[in-house]
């Protein structure tokens, strides 16, 4: 095939570049010519280590911007940026309580581009937390978790948690006041885990309070153990995308069962359109075995070549992310407060924004309930979604249907009102004395009952649409997302000194923790 | 019939070579896994602590602190409160999630000893009165205490011993 290309008539006028491209060295690295014909477009995916993660062809639907918004690619790319910038930061940082804060100051003042480097790492991390969450929302609202993608959804939920853990462990490393107190609160939450709480906290910190041991442990977790775990999980996550048949797409885009052809507007009903006389895809025969595969009874999908269609979209996503992050890092500096002081807690002491909702929950109920039960239930419930909702209809369609849209809108409005109402109620109404002194009642039963009643009301509200399981899931997932957003906004923008409610313009200096 | 017989006779003997080896392999793997995880955790478990030592702090004569006063001792990280029934030495760590609770002298008092003054936790809005009792917010128990002893007319606080309490009792305060 290589010789075929070189004997092209236009090869007569060989430019210098072409000479290089035909050298035996070049040929030993790139085994095919430039992918400007279908054969080379296939070979480039087979032969390149860096591209072989992609299929040769992708569904037309997959590269639609408004379907994925490129969020998965962007999240993975942000992780790559974080590995690179994190690696460079390691050259300038010693994880010691005496040196860490000083190193941060030196990085900002005495290292060329040090501030920019720090900003890229800090804002890249925040952006990754945000994008991973948005990616989860995208997959949920388009029904991308449905069979056969249940397990990959569960993996994705774990990836979200590991992303948060990475952010959390990195948060301590600057060893300023912001870091010290955020981690103090979080490690004390760990102390409220039932039965093993105190030991767990002691193990996490390596001491009874944050100090050299904790800093060193968080450093090891942050630069080695957690990145190792997340890299492995990302690998499996990607691999499963391919094995589960690529990205989800509406049934009209996926190869329709040839035995039971449903006519569609696209005119895909004609036998020729489904099984073209000259198929664009060719298959190599590896081995024969007796089993069914996902491809049984299906015609080829409505696809395009990954090169150039998918490549261009990915390049744009990567470029856009780089530009956005660079500009953000030029404009906004990462915060560095006073050096960690174990004797003075900043007022207010707020968690980073992605844990703000959790901090808000902590204000209203028993710490074991808020810091352990609630997050555990949320994670388990998220992972269980695809095993509870087994509807196969409307996969690949945003919000399922117009009915689904109404349900999401209803749930969003209801949850916003309910959350704001609850927070105001707890702040303005002295309800605690009414329930006496018992922590079991005030910290556990009342919050559980309140959440339960609110969820029942939500469900009764959804009954109006006589929803199926998918639509109930839509309603409750929307409630979860809106709760997360509303509580984050309340804690970040409307809580000031002593975590008391106050309008955003009255916040004390340092009231925002981005 | 023959195979059936041989099967049942094997069962009577209890264990085949195959089963024995299989059990052995799995047991070895399980023991290795438990050892690896256990040893890793054990190695990470701190044996010696650097900051546990608590000194005895001599705070001075009782007459120096009028009833209703709350004084902070930075070197011992505790508050000395003079309440109606005596002296309390309270840790400055919030019993909720470990933030440092400052004494706010000009906020409305939550007890009857004075008009103003209370502890405000900056993290989750916990409020304590002069006795260290929770008056608002999520903390589950009053501020922890350090024992006070009298050395002549001098008050001495032992910061090596932390006393957890659920309620306030008069016996907690040291009379002078």
């Amino acid at each position: 095939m290589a010789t075929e290309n070189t004997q092209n008539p236009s090869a007569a006028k060989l430019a210098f570049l072409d000479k290089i491209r035909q050298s035996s060295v070049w040929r030993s690295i790139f085994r095919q010519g430039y992918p400007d014909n279908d054969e080379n477009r296939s070979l480039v995916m087979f032969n390149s280590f860096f591209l072989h993660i992609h299929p040769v062809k992708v569904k037309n639907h997959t590269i639609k911007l408004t379907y994925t918004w490129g969020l998965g690619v962007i999240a993975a790319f942000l992780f790559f940026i974080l590995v690179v910038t994190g690696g460079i930061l390691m050259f300038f940082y010693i994880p010691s309580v005496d040196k860490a804060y000083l190193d941060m100051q030196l990085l900002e003042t005495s290292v060329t581009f040090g501030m920019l480097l720090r900003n890229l790492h800090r804002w890249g991390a925040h952006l990754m937390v945000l994008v991973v969450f948005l990616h989860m929302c995208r997959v949920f609202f388009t029904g991308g978790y449905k069979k056969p993608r249940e397990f990959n959804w569960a993996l994705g939920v774990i990836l979200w948690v590991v992303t948060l853990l990475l952010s959390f462990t990195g948060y301590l490393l600057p060893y300023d006041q912001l870091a010290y107190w955020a981690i103090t609160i979080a490690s004390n939450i760990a102390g409220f885990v039932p039965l093993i709480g105190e030991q767990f906290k002691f193990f996490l910190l390596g001491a009874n309070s944050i100090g050299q041991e904790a800093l060193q442990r968080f450093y090891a977790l942050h630069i080695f153990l957690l990145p190792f775990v997340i890299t492995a999980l990302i690998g499996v996550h990607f691999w499963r995308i391919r094995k589960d048949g690529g990205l989800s797409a509406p049934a009209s885009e996926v190869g329709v069962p040839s035995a039971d052809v449903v006519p569609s507007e696209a005119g895909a009903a004609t036998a020729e359109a489904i099984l073209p006389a000259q198929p664009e895809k060719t298959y190599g025969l590896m081995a024969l075995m007796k089993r069914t595969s996902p491809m049984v009874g299906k015609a080829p999908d409505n696809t395009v070549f990954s090169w150039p269609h998918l490549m261009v979209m990915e390049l744009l996503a990567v470029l856009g992310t780089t530009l956005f992050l660079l500009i953000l890092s030029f404009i906004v500096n990462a915060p560095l407060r006073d050096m960690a002081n174990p004797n003075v807690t900043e007022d207010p002491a707020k968690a980073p924004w992605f844990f703000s909702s959790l901090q808000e929950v902590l204000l209203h109920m028993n710490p074991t309930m808020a810091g352990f039960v609630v997050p555990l239930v949320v994670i388990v419930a998220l992972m269980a979604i695809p095993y509870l909702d087994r509807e196969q209809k409307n996969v690949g369609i945003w919000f399922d249907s117009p009915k689904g849209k109404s349900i999401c809108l209803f749930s969003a409005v209801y949850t916003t009102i309910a959350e704001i109402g609850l927070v105001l109620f707890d702040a303005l109404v002295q309800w605690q004395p009414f329930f006496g002194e018992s922590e079991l009642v005030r910290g556990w039963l009342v919050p559980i009952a309140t959440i339960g009643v609110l969820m029942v009301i939500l469900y009764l509200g959804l009954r109006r649409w006589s929803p199926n399981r998918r639509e109930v899931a839509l309603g409750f997932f929307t409630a979860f997302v809106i709760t997360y957003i509303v509580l984050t906004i309340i804690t970040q923008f409307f809580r000031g000194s002593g975590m008391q409610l106050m309008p955003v313009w009255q916040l004390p200096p340092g009231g925002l923790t981005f | 019939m023959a195979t059936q017989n041989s099967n049942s006779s094997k069962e009577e003997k209890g264990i085949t070579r195959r089963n024995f080896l299989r059990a052995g392999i799995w047991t070895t793997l399980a023991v290795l896994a438990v050892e690896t995880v256990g040893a890793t955790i054990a190695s990470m478990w701190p044996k010696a602590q650097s900051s546990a030592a608590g000194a005895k702090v001599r705070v001075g004569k009782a007459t120096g602190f009028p009833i209703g006063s709350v004084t902070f001792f930075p070197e011992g990280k505790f508050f000395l409160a003079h309440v109606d029934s005596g002296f309390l030495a309270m840790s400055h760590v919030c019993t909720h999630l470990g933030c440092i609770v400052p004494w706010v002298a000009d906020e409305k008092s939550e007890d009857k000893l004075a008009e103003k003054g209370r502890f405000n936790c900056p993290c989750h809005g916990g409020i304590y009165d002069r006795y260290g009792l929770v008056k608002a917010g999520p903390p589950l128990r009053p501020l922890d205490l350090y024992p006070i002893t009298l050395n002549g007319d001098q008050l001495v606080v032992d910061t090596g011993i932390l006393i957890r309490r659920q309620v306030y009792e008069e016996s907690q305060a040291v009379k002078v």
Side-chain angles (χ1 to χ4, degrees):
Chain A
M1 174 228 14
T3 42
E4 231 172 77
N5 280 346
T6 51
Q7 280 165 6
N8 197 303
S10 64
K13 317 160 206 160
L14 270 185
F16 177 62
L17 273 177
D18 285 331
K19 237 179 202 166
I20 292 178
R21 287 209 188 98
Q22 284 173 26
S23 67
S24 53
V25 175
W26 182 277
R27 276 294 179 206
S28 70
I29 302 171
F30 305 101
R31 297 198 164 160
Q32 78 290 322
Y34 188 80
D36 51 6
N37 58 51
D38 287 355
E39 189 185 12
N40 282 344
R41 282 181 193 133
S42 307
L43 287 172
V44 74
M45 295 297 162
F46 293 142
N47 290 344
S48 165
F49 174 81
F50 298 99
L51 296 182
H52 88 281
I53 191 169
H54 302 98
V56 169
K57 298 190 81 181
V58 290
K59 288 175 212 118
N60 225 336
H61 192 258
T62 298
I63 54 171
K64 246 175 85 178
L65 179 65
T66 52
Y67 186 59
T68 64
W69 296 103
L71 290 166
V73 170
I74 293 173
F77 178 64
L78 283 168
F79 177 65
F80 173 75
I81 290 184
L82 289 168
V83 170
V84 173
T85 51
I88 305 173
L89 282 171
M90 283 176 68
F91 284 92
F92 303 106
Y93 176 85
I94 299 171
S96 125
V97 289
D98 302 322
K99 286 282 290 169
Y101 184 75
L102 216 63
D103 282 346
M104 299 307 291
Q105 288 182 320
L106 281 175
L107 177 74
E108 294 188 355
T109 54
S110 315
V111 175
T112 313
F113 295 124
M115 189 78 224
L116 177 67
L117 184 65
R118 182 162 182 241
N119 291 346
L120 284 172
H121 196 74
R122 180 78 162 213
W123 300 138
H126 283 223
L127 209 56
M128 180 172 164
V129 171
L130 178 70
V131 169
V132 167
F133 187 74
L134 292 178
H135 176 57
M136 180 167 80
C137 293
R138 191 291 283 175
V139 172
F140 179 84
F141 286 120
T142 56
Y145 56 82
K146 288 167 180 296
K147 198 180 168 192
R149 301 182 177 81
E150 309 99 311
F151 179 66
N152 219 15
W153 163 266
L155 266 180
V157 175
I158 296 173
L159 276 167
W160 175 54
V161 175
V162 179
T163 305
L164 288 176
L165 288 179
L166 269 163
S167 257
F168 169 67
T169 47
Y171 212 73
L172 179 64
L173 303 187
Y175 217 65
D176 64 345
Q177 282 286 69
L178 206 56
Y180 189 91
W181 292 105
I183 306 301
T184 298
I185 294 172
S187 57
N188 276 300
I189 292 175
F192 277 98
V193 172
L195 301 178
I196 55 158
E198 281 300 317
Q199 283 84 350
F200 180 51
K201 178 192 158 192
F202 185 57
F203 182 67
L204 195 68
L205 297 183
N208 283 318
S209 60
I210 293 179
Q212 180 58 41
E213 298 87 351
L215 183 60
Q216 218 162 318
R217 275 164 196 231
F218 276 53
Y219 182 70
L221 286 172
H222 185 72
I223 64 138
F224 173 70
L225 209 59
L226 290 172
F228 177 78
V229 169
I230 204 172
T231 306
L233 288 178
I234 289 174
V236 181
H237 197 58
F238 283 179
W239 187 78
R240 282 299 294 234
I241 297 175
R242 295 288 305 278
K243 294 293 162 184
D244 295 343
L247 267 56
S248 60
S252 58
E253 301 280 332
V254 186
V256 270
S258 45
D260 178 25
V261 176
V262 187
S264 76
E265 307 135 51
T270 58
E272 199 181 327
I274 294 168
L275 292 168
Q278 292 174 311
E280 290 173 326
K281 249 182 180 175
T282 54
Y283 299 93
L285 188 62
M286 306 301 165
L288 282 175
M289 53 181 136
K290 209 174 170 185
R291 56 167 289 200
T292 54
S293 84
M295 290 309 293
V296 165
K298 285 182 179 176
D301 299 336
N302 182 7
T303 55
V304 291
F305 274 99
S306 295
W307 187 294
H309 302 282
L310 181 61
M311 295 298 103
V312 167
M313 295 305 283
E314 286 189 359
L315 187 67
L316 285 178
V318 163
L319 263 183
T321 309
T322 309
L323 278 182
F324 179 80
L325 188 58
L326 254 183
I327 293 170
L328 184 68
S329 301
F330 276 125
I331 299 174
V332 194
N333 281 338
L336 186 66
R337 305 234 169 130
D338 293 338
M339 189 172 164
N341 180 353
N343 287 323
V344 180
T345 306
E346 285 200 330
D347 184 14
K350 287 192 190 173
W353 63 266
F354 42 86
F355 283 135
S356 282
S357 48
L358 194 62
Q359 191 178 18
E360 181 67 38
V361 174
L362 274 166
L363 296 174
H364 305 289
M365 55 191 82
N366 183 287
T368 305
M369 164 102 173
F372 177 71
V373 179
V374 170
L376 192 71
V377 168
V378 165
I379 292 166
V380 171
L382 282 173
M383 288 169 74
I385 288 174
Y387 302 100
L388 299 175
D389 158 31
R390 310 188 75 88
E391 292 284 337
Q392 285 291 329
K393 245 179 27 185
N394 293 345
V395 170
I397 296 168
W398 275 93
F399 306 110
D400 198 73
S401 58
K403 186 173 146 195
K405 258 182 214 170
S406 313
I407 285 174
C408 290
L409 191 66
F410 164 76
S411 176
V413 172
Y414 165 78
T415 311
T416 309
I417 295 170
E419 294 299 340
I420 294 174
L422 263 189
V423 169
L424 288 177
F425 180 83
D426 200 14
L428 302 176
V429 181
Q430 287 290 317
W431 59 270
Q432 287 96 341
F434 187 72
F435 292 98
E437 287 291 316
S438 164
E439 175 62 21
L440 180 70
V441 178
R442 289 173 13 170
W444 288 87
L445 295 182
V446 172
I448 290 175
T450 312
I451 296 170
V453 167
L454 284 174
M455 284 168 76
V456 167
I457 296 176
L458 175 63
Y459 180 71
L460 293 179
L462 296 179
R463 290 273 300 265
R464 232 189 87 201
W465 286 275
S466 46
N468 61 22
R469 285 188 162 201
R470 162 69 171 156
E471 284 149 358
V472 173
L474 273 174
F476 277 90
F477 186 83
T478 308
F480 158 67
V481 173
I482 297 293
T483 302
Y484 188 89
I485 296 172
V486 169
L487 294 187
T488 303
I489 292 174
I490 289 176
T491 315
Q492 273 299 325
F493 296 108
F494 295 97
R495 286 204 182 268
S497 183
M499 294 305 281
Q500 301 302 309
L501 283 178
M502 58 182 63
V504 62
W505 55 89
Q506 282 176 15
L507 285 188
L512 298 175
T513 51
F514 292 129
Chain B
M1 273 311 269
T3 41
Q4 255 182 0
N5 277 342
S6 67
N7 270 348
S8 56
S9 67
K10 267 178 196 168
E11 272 164 31
E12 275 159 32
K13 269 191 242 163
I15 193 161
T16 60
R17 180 162 60 182
R18 178 176 295 250
N19 283 340
F20 174 76
L21 287 174
R22 183 179 291 154
I25 289 169
W26 282 113
T27 312
T28 312
L29 279 176
V31 169
L32 276 178
V34 169
E35 276 178 356
T36 311
V37 173
T40 310
I41 291 178
S43 73
M44 298 263 177
W45 200 270
K47 275 186 179 168
Q49 284 175 49
S50 50
S51 58
K56 291 192 176 176
V57 180
R58 188 186 289 255
V59 297
K61 286 183 186 173
T63 47
F65 309 98
I67 286 191
S69 72
V70 173
T71 319
F72 184 55
F73 290 86
E75 67 274 30
K77 302 183 177 183
F78 64 85
F79 289 101
L80 188 72
H82 193 176
V83 293
D84 46 359
S85 47
F87 283 94
L88 292 168
M90 293 180 287
S91 159
H92 69 160
V93 177
C94 183
T95 56
H96 180 224
L97 293 176
C99 293
I100 300 303
V101 184
W103 172 251
V104 189
D106 51 0
E107 287 244 37
K108 189 173 96 37
S109 172
E110 294 285 337
D111 50 61
K112 289 170 186 146
L113 292 177
E115 292 266 299
K116 288 187 165 185
R118 67 186 189 195
F119 298 99
N120 276 358
C121 182
C123 292
H124 301 95
I127 294 172
Y128 304 85
D129 66 7
R130 275 179 176 73
Y131 299 85
L133 298 178
V134 183
K135 287 299 167 178
L140 298 177
R141 52 171 211 275
L143 291 173
D144 296 333
L145 293 178
Y146 292 116
I148 302 176
T149 48
L150 275 170
N151 187 359
D153 57 349
Q154 295 276 326
L155 291 168
V156 178
V157 175
D158 184 356
T159 59
I161 303 165
L162 200 61
I163 305 164
R164 288 186 173 196
R165 52 176 178 160
Q166 294 300 330
V167 289
Y168 173 71
E169 287 157 13
E170 285 207 358
S171 59
Q172 289 166 355
V174 174
K175 268 203 155 76
V176 179

